[in-house]
Amino acid sequence: MLAGRKYRLRLTPEQARMAEEFGSICRSVWNTGLEQRREYRRRGAWMNYVPQAAELADAKREHEWLRAAPSHVLQQTLKDLDRACRTHGTFKVRWRSRARWNPSFRFPAGNLITVERLNRKLGRAKLPKLGWVAFRWSRHPGGEVRSATVSRRAGHWYISFLVEDGVLTPGHHAGTPVGVDRGVAVAATTSTGNVHDREFTTGGERIRYRHLQQRLARTHKGSANRRKTLASMKRNMGRVTDRRADFHAQLANQLTTRHNVVVLEDLRTKNMTASAKGTKAEPGRNVRQKAGLNRAILDKGWHRMERAIRNAARSTGTEMVLVNPAYTSQTCNRCGHVDPKNRKSQAVFECTACGHRDHADVNAAKNILSAAGHAVPACGDLAVGRSMKQEPPGPREAVPVQLASQLVGIPRR
Ligand SMILES: [Zn+2]
C-alpha cells in the first residue's frame, strides 16, 4: 500500500532560501491558476489542467523568475489545483496567502529522487534543482519512493516521501468491535471503558503564548517585529500539534491492533467548531490568534483522530464505521430509553426509566457501538465481573486537571 514517511530536513541556508523561493513561486502559480479558473467559471466556461499547463510553459519563456523552480513542481501545483477544484468547487478552494499558507511543493517523479543513508542519524535525498538535502533518519522509508513533498511548518522544513511498501491490508482481524466516543473534556472513551487523553500544551507554553499575543498586539502590520512574533507563536503551536499527532498515532495503533471494527460518530467537525473562531462577540484585532489558543487547548483534533485511525486501519485490516451521532449521549444503553435528563452531569449517566448507571462517555461509546449493529459484550457492563482496574474514572469534575496526564492511553482489555 502507499504510505507517507515524513522526515525533518536539515537544509543549508542556501537550500532553505531556494525552498522558500520555490514555495512562493508555487503560491503565485496556484493563485494565478485559481483566479483564471474563477474568471472562466463566472463566464460559465471551464478551465482545466491541460490548457493551464500549456500557458504555464508560455509564461516561463516570458518570466525569468518562474524558471527558478523545477517544471515538474509547478505542473504538480496546477494538478493539485485541478483536483482541489474538482473536489471542492472552484469557489471553495482557498487562496494561498503569504501569511497563512505553509510553503509546500511536490516532486512528482520518484525515479528522479535518490534516497540514501549517510550514518546512524542522517540520510540524504537528491532532489531536482535543490541537490542533496540531508534529513534526520528517524526510520527507514521501507519501500520504493513515488514522490517527495517538501514543506515548512512551525519554522522547520520537512520532507515527506510517498512510498509503496508492498504491504497488503490483511483480510482478517481476530479482534472484537469497539465504539469510541470523542469528547471535549476527554479526547476518547471506548465502549470497553478505557479513557484516552493527554495534555497537549504545557503550562509554560500557555503563559508564553499569552505573552506573545500581547506582544503581537503591540506590533505594527508588516513590521519585522510582527513577523518574528508570529514565527515564535507558530513554533509554540507546532509543538502542540506534534504532541497531538503523536497521541492520535498511538491511540489509532492501540485501537486498530486490538479491534476488528472501530465505530465512531460521524461528526461534522467543521460545523461544530465554526462558532469558536471569529465570533461577533470578539471583533477586536488578533481574533484569529486568540481562536488559535482556544483551539489548541480545547481541541482534541476529532477529525485528525479519525484520519489517524483510518490510516492505521489499513495495515491491520480493521474496518472503520461512522454512525449518526444523534442521541448517543442521552440514550440508555441497557433499555434504550431516550431522555436528556438521563445524563446527570458531564460524567454520570443514570437512566430515568430503568435506573441503569454508567460513566456517561462509556454509555455513549456503547451506544455508538450498538448503532453500528454490534452487540455490546456483557463484560463491558459495569455491574458484572469488572476488576478494579477496568473501573472507568469517576465523575470528571472530581479529577484535577493535572491528573489528566495520568489518563494517557491506559492499555487494558
Ligand atoms: Zn434504561
Side-chain angles (χ1 to χ4, degrees), residues 116-134:
E116 54 184 50
R117 188 167 186 170
L118 285 176
N119 51 41
R120 201 168 63 83
K121 280 184 177 170
L122 287 179
R124 64 175 188 171
K126 194 173 190 190
L127 300 173
K129 289 221 177 175
L130 271 178
W132 287 104
V133 292

Side-chain angles (χ1 to χ4, degrees), residues 332 335 351 354:
C332 170
C335 72
C351 180
C354 78

